Amino acid sequence: MNVRELEGKVALVTGGSRGIGFAVCHALAEAGARVAVVDLDGDGAAQAAAALPGEGHRGYACDVAGAEGVQATVAAVESDLGPVDVLVNNAGITRDNILVRMTDKEFDEVIATNLKGSFNFTRAVSRGMMKRRGGAILNVASVVGLTGNAGQANYAASKAGLVGLTKSVAKELASRGVRCNAVAPGFVRTAMTAKLTEAQVEALQGAIPMGALAEPEDIADAVRFLVGPAARYITGQVLAVDGGMVM
Ligand code: NAI
Protein backbone atom coordinates (compact mmCIF):
# COMPACT_ATOMS: atom_id res chain seq x y z
CA MET A 1 0.00 0.00 0.00
CA ASN A 2 1.19 3.53 -0.83
CA VAL A 3 2.24 4.92 2.57
CA ARG A 4 0.64 8.35 1.85
CA GLU A 5 -2.32 7.16 -0.16
CA LEU A 6 -4.64 9.95 1.13
CA GLU A 7 -2.21 12.82 0.44
CA GLY A 8 -4.16 15.98 -0.43
CA LYS A 9 -7.48 14.54 0.76
CA VAL A 10 -9.74 15.88 3.51
CA ALA A 11 -11.21 13.37 5.97
CA LEU A 12 -13.99 14.12 8.47
CA VAL A 13 -14.23 11.73 11.45
CA THR A 14 -17.10 11.97 13.95
CA GLY A 15 -16.48 11.05 17.57
CA GLY A 16 -12.80 11.56 16.75
CA SER A 17 -11.50 12.86 20.05
CA ARG A 18 -10.86 9.46 21.68
CA GLY A 19 -11.11 5.69 21.34
CA ILE A 20 -11.66 4.16 17.91
CA GLY A 21 -12.39 7.59 16.37
CA PHE A 22 -9.04 9.01 17.47
CA ALA A 23 -7.21 5.91 16.19
CA VAL A 24 -9.00 6.41 12.84
CA CYS A 25 -7.99 10.11 12.76
CA HIS A 26 -4.38 9.07 13.45
CA ALA A 27 -4.36 6.41 10.71
CA LEU A 28 -5.87 8.78 8.13
CA ALA A 29 -3.42 11.56 9.10
CA GLU A 30 -0.54 9.08 8.66
CA ALA A 31 -2.00 8.28 5.23
CA GLY A 32 -1.58 12.00 4.39
CA ALA A 33 -5.13 13.32 4.89
CA ARG A 34 -5.98 16.60 6.58
CA VAL A 35 -8.41 15.55 9.28
CA ALA A 36 -11.48 17.35 10.63
CA VAL A 37 -11.98 15.89 14.11
CA VAL A 38 -15.66 16.30 14.99
CA ASP A 39 -16.93 15.58 18.50
CA LEU A 40 -19.55 16.55 21.05
CA ASP A 41 -16.52 17.39 23.19
CA GLY A 42 -15.10 20.42 21.32
CA ASP A 43 -12.01 20.79 23.54
CA GLY A 44 -11.27 17.10 23.12
CA ALA A 45 -11.61 17.48 19.35
CA ALA A 46 -9.18 20.43 19.28
CA GLN A 47 -6.66 18.56 21.45
CA ALA A 48 -6.97 15.45 19.29
CA ALA A 49 -6.42 17.48 16.11
CA ALA A 50 -3.29 19.05 17.63
CA ALA A 51 -1.94 15.60 18.56
CA LEU A 52 -2.18 14.17 15.00
CA PRO A 53 0.89 13.74 12.81
CA GLY A 54 1.27 16.25 9.96
CA GLU A 55 -0.30 19.65 9.34
CA GLY A 56 -3.72 21.14 8.67
CA HIS A 57 -5.95 19.19 11.06
CA ARG A 58 -8.74 20.94 12.98
CA GLY A 59 -11.23 20.14 15.71
CA TYR A 60 -14.97 20.98 15.61
CA ALA A 61 -17.63 20.78 18.32
CA CYS A 62 -20.80 19.21 16.94
CA ASP A 63 -23.63 16.96 18.07
CA VAL A 64 -24.11 14.50 15.20
CA ALA A 65 -27.77 14.09 16.16
CA GLY A 66 -28.67 17.67 15.18
CA ALA A 67 -29.13 18.05 11.41
CA GLU A 68 -28.67 21.85 11.38
CA GLY A 69 -25.46 21.75 13.39
CA VAL A 70 -24.17 19.03 11.09
CA GLN A 71 -24.82 21.17 7.98
CA ALA A 72 -23.03 24.09 9.61
CA THR A 73 -20.09 21.90 10.63
CA VAL A 74 -19.65 20.51 7.13
CA ALA A 75 -19.77 24.07 5.74
CA ALA A 76 -17.11 25.16 8.25
CA VAL A 77 -14.87 22.17 7.45
CA GLU A 78 -15.18 22.82 3.70
CA SER A 79 -14.32 26.48 4.11
CA ASP A 80 -11.34 25.73 6.44
CA LEU A 81 -9.89 22.57 4.90
CA GLY A 82 -11.62 22.10 1.52
CA PRO A 83 -14.22 19.64 0.19
CA VAL A 84 -14.67 16.45 2.23
CA ASP A 85 -13.30 13.41 0.36
CA VAL A 86 -13.65 10.88 3.20
CA LEU A 87 -16.39 10.69 5.85
CA VAL A 88 -16.11 8.30 8.81
CA ASN A 89 -19.32 8.07 10.87
CA ASN A 90 -17.87 6.80 14.14
CA ALA A 91 -19.67 8.71 16.93
CA GLY A 92 -21.68 6.27 18.99
CA ILE A 93 -23.12 5.74 22.45
CA THR A 94 -24.63 2.94 24.52
CA ARG A 95 -27.58 3.15 26.93
CA ASP A 96 -27.83 -0.53 27.88
CA ASN A 97 -30.87 -1.98 29.61
CA ILE A 98 -33.03 -5.07 29.41
CA LEU A 99 -35.96 -4.63 27.06
CA VAL A 100 -38.75 -4.39 29.63
CA ARG A 101 -36.88 -1.69 31.56
CA MET A 102 -35.61 0.27 28.57
CA THR A 103 -36.97 3.81 28.56
CA ASP A 104 -38.06 5.77 25.48
CA LYS A 105 -35.19 8.17 26.23
CA GLU A 106 -32.62 5.34 26.24
CA PHE A 107 -33.94 4.00 22.95
CA ASP A 108 -34.28 7.37 21.22
CA GLU A 109 -30.88 8.75 22.28
CA VAL A 110 -29.02 5.76 20.89
CA ILE A 111 -30.91 5.84 17.57
CA ALA A 112 -30.46 9.63 17.31
CA THR A 113 -26.68 9.49 17.74
CA ASN A 114 -25.70 6.19 16.15
CA LEU A 115 -28.13 6.02 13.23
CA LYS A 116 -29.60 9.48 12.58
CA GLY A 117 -26.19 11.08 13.22
CA SER A 118 -24.64 8.97 10.46
CA PHE A 119 -27.54 9.81 8.13
CA ASN A 120 -27.12 13.54 8.92
CA PHE A 121 -23.42 13.60 8.00
CA THR A 122 -23.83 11.30 5.00
CA ARG A 123 -26.56 13.51 3.54
CA ALA A 124 -24.54 16.66 4.25
CA VAL A 125 -21.38 15.50 2.39
CA SER A 126 -22.86 13.38 -0.39
CA ARG A 127 -24.10 16.15 -2.69
CA GLY A 128 -20.57 17.56 -2.97
CA MET A 129 -19.04 14.10 -3.39
CA MET A 130 -21.49 13.30 -6.19
CA LYS A 131 -20.73 16.57 -7.98
CA ARG A 132 -17.00 15.89 -7.72
CA ARG A 133 -17.59 12.27 -8.76
CA GLY A 134 -15.60 10.82 -5.91
CA GLY A 135 -15.63 10.10 -2.21
CA ALA A 136 -15.65 7.40 0.42
CA ILE A 137 -18.07 7.02 3.33
CA LEU A 138 -17.44 4.56 6.15
CA ASN A 139 -19.89 3.70 8.92
CA VAL A 140 -18.70 2.18 12.20
CA ALA A 141 -21.32 -0.47 12.95
CA SER A 142 -20.81 -3.40 15.36
CA VAL A 143 -20.97 -7.19 15.36
CA VAL A 144 -23.88 -6.70 17.75
CA GLY A 145 -25.82 -5.24 14.79
CA LEU A 146 -25.33 -8.55 12.99
CA THR A 147 -26.03 -10.91 15.89
CA GLY A 148 -28.18 -8.95 18.39
CA ASN A 149 -27.25 -8.77 22.08
CA ALA A 150 -29.31 -9.15 25.25
CA GLY A 151 -29.49 -5.78 27.03
CA GLN A 152 -28.70 -3.81 23.87
CA ALA A 153 -31.95 -3.74 21.84
CA ASN A 154 -31.47 -0.01 21.15
CA TYR A 155 -27.78 -0.27 20.28
CA ALA A 156 -28.13 -3.43 18.15
CA ALA A 157 -31.06 -1.87 16.26
CA SER A 158 -29.02 1.29 15.59
CA LYS A 159 -26.07 -0.73 14.30
CA ALA A 160 -28.27 -3.03 12.17
CA GLY A 161 -29.84 0.17 10.80
CA LEU A 162 -26.37 1.36 9.82
CA VAL A 163 -25.93 -1.79 7.73
CA GLY A 164 -29.11 -0.93 5.77
CA LEU A 165 -27.99 2.70 5.46
CA THR A 166 -24.58 1.61 4.18
CA LYS A 167 -25.98 -0.66 1.47
CA SER A 168 -28.64 1.86 0.35
CA VAL A 169 -26.14 4.71 0.11
CA ALA A 170 -23.70 2.41 -1.73
CA LYS A 171 -26.39 1.57 -4.31
CA GLU A 172 -27.51 5.18 -4.75
CA LEU A 173 -24.07 6.73 -5.11
CA ALA A 174 -21.99 4.04 -6.86
CA SER A 175 -22.61 5.42 -10.35
CA ARG A 176 -21.28 8.81 -9.16
CA GLY A 177 -17.98 7.34 -7.99
CA VAL A 178 -18.87 7.48 -4.28
CA ARG A 179 -18.33 4.33 -2.20
CA CYS A 180 -19.93 3.47 1.14
CA ASN A 181 -18.84 0.62 3.41
CA ALA A 182 -19.01 -0.33 7.08
CA VAL A 183 -16.82 -2.02 9.63
CA ALA A 184 -18.37 -4.16 12.35
CA PRO A 185 -15.93 -4.23 15.27
CA GLY A 186 -16.11 -6.91 17.94
CA PHE A 187 -15.04 -5.85 21.43
CA VAL A 188 -12.45 -3.09 21.47
CA ARG A 189 -10.48 -1.70 24.42
CA THR A 190 -11.93 1.84 24.79
CA ALA A 191 -13.90 3.90 27.32
CA MET A 192 -17.04 2.17 26.01
CA THR A 193 -15.84 -1.26 27.18
CA ALA A 194 -13.91 -0.02 30.26
CA LYS A 195 -17.03 -0.70 32.38
CA LEU A 196 -16.62 -4.47 31.82
CA THR A 197 -15.29 -6.41 34.82
CA GLU A 198 -12.16 -8.57 34.47
CA ALA A 199 -14.42 -11.65 34.73
CA GLN A 200 -16.55 -10.35 31.84
CA VAL A 201 -13.43 -9.64 29.78
CA GLU A 202 -12.15 -13.17 30.43
CA ALA A 203 -15.50 -14.67 29.40
CA LEU A 204 -15.50 -12.53 26.25
CA GLN A 205 -11.98 -13.55 25.35
CA GLY A 206 -13.07 -17.18 25.55
CA ALA A 207 -15.73 -16.43 22.91
CA ILE A 208 -13.26 -14.76 20.54
CA PRO A 209 -11.41 -17.29 18.34
CA MET A 210 -8.32 -15.06 18.32
CA GLY A 211 -8.47 -14.94 22.14
CA ALA A 212 -8.12 -11.19 22.71
CA LEU A 213 -10.07 -7.94 22.55
CA ALA A 214 -9.20 -5.58 19.71
CA GLU A 215 -7.14 -2.42 20.12
CA PRO A 216 -8.55 0.74 18.47
CA GLU A 217 -5.72 0.59 15.90
CA ASP A 218 -6.99 -2.79 14.66
CA ILE A 219 -10.24 -1.11 13.62
CA ALA A 220 -8.49 2.00 12.29
CA ASP A 221 -6.31 -0.05 9.91
CA ALA A 222 -9.42 -1.67 8.37
CA VAL A 223 -11.06 1.78 8.03
CA ARG A 224 -7.93 3.18 6.37
CA PHE A 225 -8.03 0.36 3.82
CA LEU A 226 -11.75 0.73 3.06
CA VAL A 227 -11.66 4.51 2.51
CA GLY A 228 -8.46 4.39 0.45
CA PRO A 229 -7.64 3.71 -3.18
CA ALA A 230 -6.78 0.05 -2.54
CA ALA A 231 -10.51 -0.54 -1.92
CA ARG A 232 -11.60 1.29 -5.11
CA TYR A 233 -13.80 -1.63 -6.29
CA ILE A 234 -15.39 -2.33 -2.89
CA THR A 235 -18.74 -0.79 -1.94
CA GLY A 236 -21.76 -1.79 0.14
CA GLN A 237 -19.72 -4.18 2.29
CA VAL A 238 -19.71 -4.76 6.03
CA LEU A 239 -16.31 -5.97 7.22
CA ALA A 240 -16.31 -7.65 10.64
CA VAL A 241 -13.10 -6.78 12.51
CA ASP A 242 -13.63 -9.05 15.46
CA GLY A 243 -10.94 -11.71 15.83
CA GLY A 244 -13.30 -14.25 14.25
CA MET A 245 -16.31 -13.82 16.56
CA VAL A 246 -18.88 -13.67 13.74
CA MET A 247 -18.31 -15.80 10.65
P1 NAI B 1 -15.92 6.11 23.00
O1 NAI B 1 -17.06 6.28 23.93
O2 NAI B 1 -14.56 5.89 23.53
O3 NAI B 1 -15.86 7.37 22.00
C1 NAI B 1 -17.00 7.86 21.36
C2 NAI B 1 -16.76 9.30 20.94
O4 NAI B 1 -17.96 9.76 20.30
C3 NAI B 1 -16.49 10.22 22.13
O5 NAI B 1 -15.41 11.07 21.85
C4 NAI B 1 -17.81 11.00 22.28
O6 NAI B 1 -17.64 12.32 22.79
C5 NAI B 1 -18.28 11.03 20.84
N1 NAI B 1 -19.73 11.25 20.75
C6 NAI B 1 -20.70 10.61 21.45
N2 NAI B 1 -21.91 11.11 21.14
C7 NAI B 1 -21.70 12.08 20.19
C8 NAI B 1 -22.56 12.95 19.48
N3 NAI B 1 -23.88 12.95 19.67
N4 NAI B 1 -22.00 13.82 18.59
C9 NAI B 1 -20.68 13.86 18.41
N5 NAI B 1 -19.79 13.04 19.06
C10 NAI B 1 -20.32 12.17 19.94
O7 NAI B 1 -16.39 4.93 22.02
P2 NAI B 1 -15.56 3.90 21.14
O8 NAI B 1 -15.49 2.62 21.86
O9 NAI B 1 -14.33 4.51 20.60
O10 NAI B 1 -16.62 3.67 19.96
C11 NAI B 1 -16.56 4.33 18.71
C12 NAI B 1 -17.56 3.66 17.77
O11 NAI B 1 -17.26 2.28 17.66
C13 NAI B 1 -19.01 3.75 18.26
O12 NAI B 1 -19.86 3.96 17.16
C14 NAI B 1 -19.24 2.38 18.87
O13 NAI B 1 -20.60 2.03 18.86
C15 NAI B 1 -18.41 1.52 17.92
N6 NAI B 1 -18.04 0.23 18.48
C16 NAI B 1 -17.30 0.13 19.63
C17 NAI B 1 -16.97 -1.11 20.13
C18 NAI B 1 -16.16 -1.27 21.37
O14 NAI B 1 -16.01 -2.41 21.84
N7 NAI B 1 -15.59 -0.22 21.96
C19 NAI B 1 -17.40 -2.33 19.45
C20 NAI B 1 -18.16 -2.12 18.26
C21 NAI B 1 -18.45 -0.88 17.80
Side-chain angles (χ1 to χ4, degrees), residues 13-23 38-42 44-45 60-66 70 89-95 109 112-114 117-118 121 139-144 155 158-159 162 183-196 213-214 216 219 241:
V13 180
T14 69
S17 72
R18 67 178 198 211
I20 295 170
F22 180 67
V38 173
D39 207 287
L40 203 52
D41 171 8
Y60 299 84
C62 172
D63 179 354
V64 299
V70 167
N89 288 310
N90 163 82
I93 56 169
T94 53
R95 297 283 184 269
E109 280 179 0
T113 296
N114 299 9
S118 302
F121 264 102
N139 294 318
V140 179
S142 167
V143 286
V144 161
Y155 183 79
S158 75
K159 296 301 189 179
L162 276 180
V183 290
F187 288 92
V188 188
R189 284 196 188 275
T190 69
M192 194 175 264
T193 49
K195 311 162 208 163
L196 297 172
L213 270 66
I219 314 305
V241 187

Side-chain angles (χ1 to χ4, degrees), residues 51-135:
L52 295 175
E55 301 290 313
H57 316 298
R58 273 182 89 147
Y60 299 84
C62 172
D63 179 354
V64 299
E68 282 181 16
V70 167
Q71 285 286 359
T73 300
V74 169
V77 170
E78 301 213 322
S79 117
D80 295 340
L81 305 184
V84 176
D85 303 294
V86 171
L87 168 67
V88 179
N89 288 310
N90 163 82
I93 56 169
T94 53
R95 297 283 184 269
D96 297 354
N97 214 339
I98 56 167
L99 181 68
V100 293
R101 291 213 193 113
M102 189 172 284
T103 63
D104 286 1
K105 188 166 181 278
E106 285 166 343
F107 190 85
D108 292 345
E109 280 179 0
V110 168
I111 299 293
T113 296
N114 299 9
L115 183 54
K116 181 79 190 308
S118 302
F119 164 75
N120 286 339
F121 264 102
T122 300
R123 186 177 55 183
V125 302
S126 58
R127 198 186 297 271
M129 285 181 174
M130 281 157 65
K131 268 197 199 144
R132 296 187 300 278
R133 302 225 154 232

